[in-house]
Amino acid sequence: KAGVTQTPRYLIKTRGQQVTLSCSPISGHRSVSWYQQTPGQGLQFLFEYFSETQRNKGNFPGRFSGRQFSNSRSEMNVSTLELGDSALYLCASRTSGSGADTQYFGPGTRLTVL
Amino acid sequence: AQSVTQLGSHVSVSEGALVLLRCNYSSSVPPYLFWYVQYPNQGLQLLLKYTSAATLVKGINGFEAEFKKSETSFHLTKPSAHMSDAAEYFCAVSEAGGFKTIFGAGTRLFVKA
């Protein structure tokens, strides 16, 4: 099976712009989670989607949003970019979203905001 | 509420020495516990997980971890470190019946020749 894929792998934007990141989960996985990873804050949970519905949400401002499509692919959007949004954004998928399920991570999208 | 504490943001060992990465958790119900590894510029990869079967869990690359309920710990060990083990390691907890996974802050492992 193909792993979790994320596109693009690298992105450079300027302050005030918006960005959309894409994640394709492992085939058959219905849950997709997004994380932001920075050297200062570590790995922080953004949100989780299961069967096109947002099931959990982390403590991020409304500029961060996401969605999931019927084929389980997911996108996250960040509007009005700030310098502090520079980070590695990781997507993870799992089968049903149960706590026992292993999360499988993609390689991440490295976002740099100038 | 669940939480995870990884003791030591950086650990340095010599090649061939024992690796011990510490993880303590807090959970009001029986937990599921995970260790993930992250190599530079890559996503996280599962090393091993505990889901209420055997308390000693063996994972990939010679790593193992022991679930100790009385100590609320799930420390990761490897008898002999290899240069290729240099990476960042994350402990994570989720609850039976729940959906959220909480990750620790991570421990960066350095291996000296």
Side-chain angles (χ1 to χ4, degrees), chain B residues 24-106:
Chain B
N24 287 89
Y25 70 91
S26 171
S27 178
S28 56
V29 298
Y32 299 120
L33 295 158
F34 305 81
W35 275 100
Y36 287 85
V37 61
Q38 185 180 32
Y39 298 101
N41 297 314
Q42 294 187 26
L44 279 68
Q45 176 187 1
L46 180 73
L47 275 177
L48 50 83
K49 73 176 181 181
Y50 167 78
T51 56
S52 77
T55 56
L56 182 62
V57 183
K58 295 188 183 298
I60 62 171
N61 301 338
F63 284 95
E64 63 181 37
E66 186 172 8
F67 171 67
K68 291 188 176 180
K69 184 178 178 180
S70 60
E71 298 177 10
T72 59
S73 69
F74 192 56
H75 302 329
L76 182 71
T77 60
K78 182 174 180 177
S80 176
H82 192 272
M83 296 297 287
S84 61
D85 294 328
E88 188 153 22
Y89 293 79
F90 293 90
C91 182
V93 63
S94 60
E95 291 183 342
F99 307 112
K100 194 178 288 189
T101 301
I102 306 298
F103 285 84

Side-chain angles (χ1 to χ4, degrees), chain A residues 35-113:
Chain A
Y35 295 85
Q36 181 196 66
Q37 187 177 28
T38 60
Q41 300 296 318
L43 198 62
Q44 292 188 285
F45 172 74
L46 280 156
F47 29 65
E48 180 196 9
Y49 286 86
F50 180 76
S51 294
E52 302 178 64
T53 300
Q54 187 181 86
R55 186 161 63 177
N56 285 306
K57 190 177 188 305
N59 189 26
F60 277 81
R63 300 186 297 108
F64 292 82
S65 63
R67 59 178 176 169
Q68 187 181 33
F69 302 95
S70 58
N71 62 358
S72 293
R73 191 177 71 84
S74 177
E75 289 181 345
M76 69 162 279
N77 183 277
V78 189
S79 62
T80 321
L81 283 166
E82 300 176 359
L83 295 179
D85 297 333
S86 294
L88 180 67
Y89 290 88
L90 293 166
C91 160
S93 75
R94 52 186 173 175
T95 51
S96 68
S98 157
D101 287 346
T102 298
Q103 293 195 72
Y104 294 86
F105 284 81
T109 294
R110 173 78 60 186
L111 172 65
T112 301
V113 182

